[in-house]
Amino acid sequence: MRGDRRQIQTAVMGGADSEEPLMLPLEAIELDAFRQRHEHDMFWCGLLLGGAETPCVVRRQG
């Protein structure tokens, strides 16, 4: 089975059933600071946001 390659702007922290949404950076220049602030956090494609209950990977496009 292939991994989900959708590009998303919202995710949740704490687990797939979390109610704690956050906005992911829109600009690549903001990504390094975002990763530093959340270096110990996991992000999920949350169920309440219509996600697939899988971990999200925050990565730079391009």
Side-chain angles (χ1 to χ4, degrees), residues 11-52:
V12 294
M13 291 177 27
D17 60 349
S18 173
E19 295 181 16
E20 187 178 346
L22 70 146
M23 297 292 289
L24 303 175
L26 292 175
E27 302 294 327
I29 196 166
E30 299 169 341
L31 186 57
D32 291 335
F34 179 85
R35 283 182 170 160
Q36 226 174 12
R37 272 193 317 274
H38 296 285
E39 67 181 312
H40 299 290
D41 297 324
M42 283 197 65
F43 307 104
W44 297 84
C45 301
L47 296 173
L48 296 176
L49 298 174

Side-chain angles (χ1 to χ4, degrees), residues 4-12 22-26 43-46 49 51 54-58 61:
D4 188 344
R5 308 291 279 174
R6 289 178 288 178
Q7 296 179 17
I8 61 168
Q9 184 182 349
T10 57
V12 294
L22 70 146
M23 297 292 289
L24 303 175
L26 292 175
F43 307 104
W44 297 84
C45 301
L49 298 174
T54 58
C56 294
V57 177
V58 179
Q61 293 295 312

